[in-house]
Amino acid sequence: MTNQTDNVEKELERLRSLISDYNYQYYVLDDPSVPDAEYDRLYRELTKLESQYPELITDDSPTQRVGAKPDSGFEEVVHELPMLSLDNAMDEEEMVSFNRRVSERLNTTDDIEYVCEPKLDGLAISLLYENGILTRAATRGDGMQGENITLNARTIRSIPLKLRTNKPPERLEVRGEVFMLKSSFEALNEEARKRGAKLFANPRNAAAGSLRQLDPQITAKRNLSFYAYSMGLVSDDFELADSHYERLQQIKTLGLPLSAEVKIAQGIGACLEYYQDIMQRRDSLEYEIDGVVNKVNSIQLQERLGFVARAPRWAIAHKFPAQEEMTQLLGVDFQVGRTGAITPVARLEPVSVGGVTVSNATLHNMDEIERLGVKINDYVIIRRAGDVIPQVVSVIHDRRPDAVSDIRAPRQCPVCASPVERAEGEAVMRCTGGLICSSQRNESIKHFASRKAMDIDGLGDKLVEVLTQKGFVKSVSDLFRVNKEQLVSLERMGDKSAENLLKALEASKATTLPKFLYALGIREVGEVTAKNIANHFLTIDAITKASEEELESVSDVGPIVAQHVHAFFDNDDNLQQIQSLIELGVHWPAIERKSDDELPLKGKTYVITGSFDGVSRTEIKEKLEALGAKVSGSVSKKTTALIAGEKAGSKLSKAEALGIDVLGEEFLEELD
Ligand code: IVH
């Protein structure tokens, strides 16, 4: 070897090892030490050098994660040690009996030490490292035999291609779960919805579908994650710790990520507390979990307990109440939204899902109905997760009754009978009636009154419907024309409530330009876009006169948004409404373009979590933004500080793990 290649090799090694360190800090320690830009720079440098010396590219180089598509399907892999499943406990009573069985078998009355882990809702895989190198990844399959998915597992950035040790064991098998973050899942489905393509029912299906792609390039784009939860086969040259918890730490030291929620619990009581705590925080976790796995910590005790059938006696999954249930689809209604979009809504035989009765679920659009192959009277699986609208996930074809009927798309708006149009390449049907459609009108008025828009206290959806039904309100400006006489004539509206509503209407007239613009309900104009447009043009006059081209120069405004905004202000009825609203007293302070020294928080990014005494998170957000700061929804290494109130949950733990400043209520006082 020449001197020069010798040097290049050293440099390649240096870059690879730095990149691997940064990956480890990011994915395993959750504590990155360099900004993304530095990581990217090193990565580009490595790619460049490798392209000059392709003969020096190694298989474990971070540039080699995405390989070529294999010619045929996945090969079968026989697991040398079977991948077991877990027994389930559906409630506390079953957990208590599990603990009793464990204690009796071990002949002890002492508290048993358990490890509590989130039951990750993804799919189990096995990773085999031979002499420190990832040589094989396999799905669990039926526990005995799975599929070889090595090429796909290599694309998952949190799975190291090489263990972080100078003395790797001959063989070490790590087991864990591949899953998709809720945010990646939402983004994937959002994008598919826009294209009218197939949607995934839940993050687990999305993870499974992505891992079982034959083309690793597709898997690489899906942003999958991995957490380890146990070891499989380990060669004798590796000194294993004698508790499960310490073994997990050994895995972590070798470079594989664990969930930050893994905790030791002394006794069944602590396990049940852990369960309650994590169930409460379930919706704010970044990934889906469907329960808690409790494992006896001592390996010696695990060995004494042994296995029954295909599950260990020393572990149990304490499941959360189901988020999916079966019910019958009784019919489909078509709802017309504020922008005319027509959404098919499933009317269901009411069913309780995780304690809440569900009788409606969204079917999104006609493409989705076709994809599901659903017909009226079918038995369907519905899913309700967190505060998301319940959805129809799938059809149980085996249970299809004899009398089913097709779901037909309406040709006319079900509310105003105007023709329905469906633009080329779009999945959404729209009513072309505009404001002659009472549904579009009602929905626009509800939007106008809503909290993030004009924030008319006490004017909820139901009341808007009554007011429009009675003919008191036909447009948004009519809201400011209703009088006390009209209000008290309504059912269940006393003198006092009428007065309160009138006061709230009056108070709402003092608004801001961004809120007013958002309240108008222009298609594709959400809160952020409204704010950007307002801050760019400063006055409503300038906005109404802006050309599509000028609109496109606003940050985050593309040609489609610009077109919708322009079309809105090109319409005389809309301009008339704005005029009337202003005449009726709607006003806002002039926006002054602030110089940088008036924006002391410019360039800073905050995250707000928990609850605060006497002030809402929205108010804090507005205050910070007025001082030039950005407010983001999730903690990352770019966060300047987390502002944490009472009952702060996972965001607080993440900020602490990332070493990000945490500020309390005192900070808010400083802002005044
Ligand atoms: S341990 C012998 N730990 O649950 C124990 N499994 O029903 C084997 N799972 O196939 C599994 N999170 O896909 C274990 N923290 C966790 C888990 C977990 C999710 C899944 C895994 C397994 C299934 C067993």
Side-chain angles (χ1 to χ4, degrees):
M1 198 177 289
T2 63
N3 237 341
Q4 170 156 21
T5 46
D6 223 17
N7 284 340
V8 173
E9 245 187 323
K10 279 212 183 90
E11 176 60 8
L12 284 169
E13 189 40 46
R14 186 187 72 88
L15 290 169
R16 285 173 192 149
S17 122
L18 260 180
I19 290 174
S20 145
D21 286 350
Y22 294 154
N23 248 344
Y24 174 70
Q25 288 164 3
Y26 187 87
Y27 289 107
V28 182
L29 303 181
D30 214 355
D31 185 15
S33 64
V34 293
D36 288 358
E38 172 63 10
Y39 180 94
D40 295 343
R41 192 187 63 74
L42 285 175
Y43 195 93
R44 276 196 306 275
E45 211 173 298
L46 177 63
T47 316
K48 190 168 157 211
L49 201 55
E50 283 183 341
S51 70
Q52 286 162 358
Y53 297 89
E55 69 283 7
L56 298 181
I57 297 178
T58 56
D59 212 35
D60 62 8
S61 169
T63 60
Q64 302 303 301
R65 282 194 174 267
V66 187
K69 182 175 169 173
D71 302 332
S72 55
F74 301 111
E75 275 170 28
E76 277 178 359
V77 170
V78 176
H79 299 296
E80 273 178 66
L81 272 180
M83 290 182 78
L84 302 170
S85 59
L86 291 168
D87 272 344
N88 291 330
M90 303 313 289
D91 52 33
E92 288 205 352
E93 212 177 299
E94 292 184 12
M95 277 300 292
V96 171
S97 350
F98 162 76
N99 181 61
R100 190 181 322 115
R101 287 195 302 273
V102 169
S103 307
E104 282 171 6
R105 276 203 174 256
L106 297 174
N107 207 3
T108 174
T109 52
D110 294 345
D111 271 350
I112 308 282
E113 184 170 273
Y114 291 102
V115 176
C116 302
E117 302 174 11
K119 187 165 190 298
L120 305 157
D121 204 6
L123 59 157
I125 64 161
S126 142
L127 299 172
L128 180 64
Y129 288 90
E130 288 176 303
N131 300 311
I133 303 291
L134 174 66
T135 53
R136 195 197 69 196
T139 59
R140 173 176 182 272
D142 63 3
M144 300 293 169
Q145 205 169 347
E147 286 177 322
N148 187 324
I149 43 111
T150 313
L151 290 173
N152 289 344
R154 284 176 60 98
T155 70
I156 302 175
R157 298 247 242 145
S158 52
I159 295 180
L161 300 177
K162 196 174 168 185
L163 296 178
R164 294 177 59 81
T165 168
N166 296 329
K167 280 201 297 184
E170 215 172 291
R171 304 185 85 192
L172 171 75
E173 184 193 353
V174 175
R175 291 173 176 183
E177 198 88 346
V178 169
F179 58 95
M180 192 178 275
L181 293 179
K182 290 177 191 167
S183 53
S184 306
F185 167 72
E186 296 299 339
L188 182 66
N189 263 2
E190 192 48 45
E191 196 256 337
R193 198 171 285 138
K194 278 198 181 137
R195 281 188 293 123
K198 174 178 175 292
L199 297 189
F200 286 108
N202 52 45
R204 174 169 39 87
N205 288 7
S210 304
L211 197 63
R212 294 197 67 263
Q213 288 288 336
L214 267 183
D215 184 352
Q217 295 227 29
I218 299 181
T219 312
K221 289 195 190 112
R222 295 290 173 81
N223 209 1
L224 293 171
S225 303
F226 173 82
Y227 281 147
Y229 54 62
S230 72
M231 292 192 195
L233 193 80
V234 184
S235 52
D236 292 340
D237 55 346
F238 187 74
E239 201 168 321
L240 279 166
D242 42 22
S243 75
H244 173 66
Y245 189 82
E246 285 166 321
R247 287 187 180 183
L248 289 180
Q249 304 313 312
Q250 287 184 306
I251 295 178
K252 181 169 174 175
T253 310
L254 290 171
L256 289 125
L258 310 177
S259 159
E261 303 288 346
V262 176
K263 300 269 151 65
I264 292 180
Q266 302 296 340
I268 178 75
C271 292
L272 297 177
E273 268 172 38
Y274 177 95
Y275 175 87
Q276 288 301 336
D277 171 65
I278 202 160
M279 183 158 63
Q280 279 206 344
R281 294 188 290 115
R282 179 183 192 182
D283 290 342
S284 59
L285 293 179
E286 292 177 310
Y287 43 86
E288 289 222 335
I289 63 176
D290 58 347
V292 170
V293 184
N294 301 278
K295 303 173 180 171
V296 171
N297 192 18
S298 151
I299 302 291
Q300 197 205 349
L301 296 186
Q302 284 187 2
E303 280 164 2
R304 274 174 57 195
L305 287 160
F307 301 86
V308 240
R310 291 170 58 191
R313 282 205 192 88
W314 43 262
I316 194 153
H318 188 182
K319 303 272 281 192
F320 290 149
Q323 289 185 314
E324 290 183 5
E325 288 293 346
M326 187 190 73
T327 189
Q328 195 173 15
L329 176 73
L330 304 177
V332 173
D333 285 346
F334 288 88
Q335 272 180 359
V336 186
R338 155 172 74 81
T339 61
I342 299 180
T343 309
V345 177
R347 301 288 172 226
L348 307 163
E349 178 64 40
V351 61
S352 164
V353 190
V356 173
T357 304
V358 174
S359 40
N360 302 314
T362 179
L363 281 160
H364 297 293
N365 55 48
M366 291 311 289
D367 286 357
E368 177 70 356
I369 289 174
E370 197 172 314
R371 177 184 84 79
L372 291 165
V374 60
K375 292 179 193 280
I376 292 168
N377 283 344
D378 263 335
Y379 285 88
V380 293
I381 306 277
I382 58 153
R383 172 183 173 81
R384 186 190 70 88
D387 44 17
V388 189
I389 306 168
Q391 318 195 14
V392 176
V393 166
S394 58
V395 176
I396 306 171
H397 288 285
D398 296 351
R399 284 202 59 170
R400 173 161 283 176
D402 291 336
V404 288
S405 50
D406 287 343
I407 302 166
R408 281 185 222 282
R411 299 235 187 99
Q412 292 182 325
C413 170
V415 178
C416 72
S418 300
V420 167
E421 72 171 16
R422 185 170 163 178
E424 234 344 87
E426 262 201 46
V428 183
M429 300 177 285
R430 277 179 206 281
C431 158
T432 52
L435 287 183
I436 62 154
C437 176
S438 64
S439 186
Q440 289 195 43
R441 224 167 43 217
N442 284 359
E443 294 305 311
S444 321
I445 299 171
K446 289 178 195 168
H447 171 80
F448 183 81
S450 65
R451 205 172 46 79
K452 290 177 183 168
M454 297 299 284
D455 194 13
I456 306 175
D457 214 19
L459 185 57
D461 290 0
K462 284 263 149 57
L463 190 50
V464 169
E465 263 164 37
V466 177
L467 289 170
T468 53
Q469 225 169 27
K470 292 265 178 201
F472 296 160
V473 173
K474 294 196 181 66
S475 65
V476 289
S477 60
D478 282 350
L479 285 173
F480 298 111
R481 296 192 181 100
V482 287
N483 55 40
K484 190 163 165 197
E485 211 178 310
Q486 291 172 326
L487 288 179
V488 290
S489 76
L490 304 176
E491 243 175 80
R492 279 195 297 270
M493 175 77 77
D495 236 39
K496 189 88 197 129
S497 346
E499 271 168 26
N500 284 344
L501 184 59
L502 289 171
K503 268 191 214 143
L505 279 159
E506 199 52 40
S508 74
K509 289 182 186 170
T511 183
T512 65
L513 182 55
K515 283 192 176 193
F516 180 71
L517 194 56
Y518 171 69
L520 294 175
I522 306 168
R523 240 170 96 184
E524 304 286 336
V525 178
E527 257 187 303
V528 177
T529 310
K531 192 172 290 171
N532 291 345
I533 296 177
N535 288 334
H536 182 95
F537 292 102
L538 306 177
T539 66
I540 188 76
D541 225 36
I543 300 171
T544 54
K545 294 196 180 107
S547 68
E548 285 185 35
E549 216 173 16
E550 284 164 335
L551 283 159
E552 272 188 60
S553 65
V554 178
S555 77
D556 282 346
V557 174
I560 295 178
V561 180
Q563 205 184 330
H564 287 309
V565 176
H566 188 258
F568 184 90
F569 293 112
D570 210 23
N571 175 313
D572 282 341
D573 288 342
N574 291 338
L575 293 178
Q576 186 53 50
Q577 276 296 315
I578 295 171
Q579 187 60 35
S580 304
L581 286 165
I582 294 171
E583 279 166 16
L584 285 159
V586 173
H587 64 280
W588 51 85
I591 306 178
E592 286 166 41
R593 207 179 282 293
K594 290 199 173 139
S595 65
D596 278 6
D597 42 309
E598 281 175 284
L599 296 174
L601 300 183
K602 200 177 160 77
K604 301 198 181 227
T605 304
Y606 295 90
V607 176
I608 311 167
T609 188
S611 54
F612 299 83
D613 237 11
V615 51
S616 73
R617 283 200 294 269
T618 317
E619 287 169 302
I620 302 174
K621 177 171 179 245
E622 284 167 3
K623 230 186 232 178
L624 291 169
E625 284 172 345
L627 296 171
K630 269 197 189 156
V631 176
S632 147
S634 59
V635 175
S636 76
K637 51 194 169 166
K638 291 189 192 119
T639 310
T640 311
L642 176 76
I643 304 176
E646 293 279 313
K647 297 217 184 79
S650 63
K651 287 181 187 159
L652 180 57
S653 11
K654 184 151 186 208
E656 281 166 355
L658 289 176
I660 280 161
D661 283 349
V662 177
L663 307 171
E665 217 143 332
E666 325 75 69
F667 174 68
L668 302 177
E669 284 155 26
E670 283 172 34
L671 297 179
D672 291 325

